[in-house]
Amino acid sequence: MNNESEIIKTIDLSASEHQDQQRVNKLSGLEWFFYHHQNKLRWLHLMMFVLFLILLFVPLFLSEPNEQATPLNNFTVFSNYLMWGLWFPLVFLSVIFTGRSWCGLLCPMGAASEWANQRGLQKKIPAFIRWEGMPIVSFLIITFLGQTVGVRDHPEALAEVFGGIMLLAIIVGYIWGSKNRVWCRHFCPIGLLLGLFSRLSIIQFISKKPKAGGDKYAEDGFCPTMIDLRQKRESRHCIECFRCVNPKAKSSVTVKLRALGQEVEQIKTHNPGSAEIWFFLLGTGAALGGFLWLTLPQYNEMRQAIGEWFVLNGWYWIGDTGPWWLMSNHPERREVFNWLDFFSIISFMTIITLLFTVILSSINAVTTYLTIKLGSQDHFKQSFKELAYQYMPVAMVSLLLGLGGKLFEWFSILGISENGIIIIKLSLFILSILWCLRLGWQILANQKLDTMARILPSISGLIGSLFVGLCWWPAIFGL
Ligand code: SF4
Ligand code: SF4
């Protein structure tokens, strides 16, 4: 019997080894493909650049779509659906399967920034740009501005926000850095978001001859996002440009498959970062605020109170309209914001951002406290950072369902009923919470907690995940 099970085990093992080999072969095929066609990527970037300009700017010259217009018969509506109903959710989802492939292979903004860099001043990158909080600031500014100008509803706002990002990417690329992408590493609000969630991805780029010592910043190196290739352990800054991949070289970088979420489960050895956690908390809170002001009645109550206070003090300018680039001003669509709307949206979003950050941090602090009491050898700060990564799946699904809500309008067009869509959303939600639980469990195991000791911190972690999910509930499923 023993012999038989040994034989079965051996057959199973060799079958799985064979499958692994096939997978590796497939990825080495990918390596060879990009090794041979690397120089053609610039044509793809050029094509994407032109497409990007068409989608953003052509609607500005077209007449107003009527109420019955659909993506199939009106270009302005089509462009909006393409950006929010396909581009955003698909790029976001693709991170799970292909990491930041959007950045390295397709994004016209990063490519334009690098193009400008090759022709630019190539100044040394100053310390204020290398400050890790810089992309957090840019993410918050873009998220707040996106709400006050109505980026999801108005083609002018879409052109302003994405055209503005493109322009800034080119200016930054023109001034700073030498043969690299300072914008992508230090400023881009989209890149930071994709980078964070690329840690969950099943793809990794790692050195064939890794060197000990952990991740390092290498401004004069070969990588456009300044990664020290031999010490690379984390995925977040890798834009998957394939430039460091050479299947012929013994010491280049290689592309491999890994289990879903593996990097987060083993976050201890993959450079967990305080700035990344701050971004996760503040960024998720800000995105949540961007939805809740549209949904919760408390927003209108707060707006009323602010308005009355200004009028009582004789500051009637609060009712005036501000500049078009700061707030929505579209009488033709019956939407004109005044300073009262502007301040109310900013204040409400700030309150939600801070509340979300404080509550989730507090839950995570309790989880960390329990973890240390039950035997973790980590310092509080280190353990806190590692445990905060467990909430990523539910935050990701929430952002996807919230920001990518238009994707589900395609589902309706394809004939899926309202109930069917709710079931799909709920299933994604439940799966994401179960995934958070698993991540938390593994992070605790890597903090050397035995099975029994992991139960209590896991329950606390589950409360954190449920909190994230419930915060998004009104934005996704309605009140
Ligand atoms: S980091 Fe931003 S600009 Fe750079 S490639 Fe990615 S999305 Fe594009
Ligand atoms: S690590 Fe390699 S693939 Fe990733 S961004 Fe750097 S050069 Fe490109």
Side-chain angles (χ1 to χ4, degrees), residues 408-429:
F408 292 93
E409 292 180 23
W410 287 105
F411 285 26
S412 309
I413 293 171
L414 293 173
I416 299 178
S417 67
E418 200 59 26
N419 281 346
I421 292 174
I422 289 181
I423 289 170
I424 295 172
K425 286 183 177 178
L426 262 179
S427 312
L428 284 172
F429 230 71

Side-chain angles (χ1 to χ4, degrees), residues 106-171:
L106 296 169
C107 178
M109 297 174 284
S113 185
E114 196 170 349
W115 181 86
N117 182 257
Q118 284 155 7
R119 288 150 186 84
L121 307 177
Q122 305 207 337
K123 286 187 180 289
K124 199 164 166 47
I125 307 169
F128 81 90
I129 289 184
R130 281 187 273 115
W131 175 55
E132 284 211 89
M134 188 57 85
I136 306 178
V137 173
S138 89
F139 183 88
L140 293 178
I141 291 174
I142 289 293
T143 309
F144 280 66
L145 180 72
Q147 289 304 308
T148 59
V149 295
V151 69
R152 294 163 59 82
D153 300 320
H154 307 294
E156 298 81 1
L158 194 70
E160 178 195 342
V161 170
F162 284 93
I165 292 178
M166 169 72 91
L167 187 65
L168 285 173
I170 293 174
I171 294 171

Side-chain angles (χ1 to χ4, degrees), residues 205 222-225 227 229 232 237-245 253:
F205 284 60
F222 180 65
C223 169
T225 48
I227 297 169
L229 298 173
K232 177 179 183 299
H237 300 301
C238 175
I239 56 167
E240 301 192 357
C241 63
F242 279 86
R243 271 173 239 179
C244 57
V245 177
V253 165

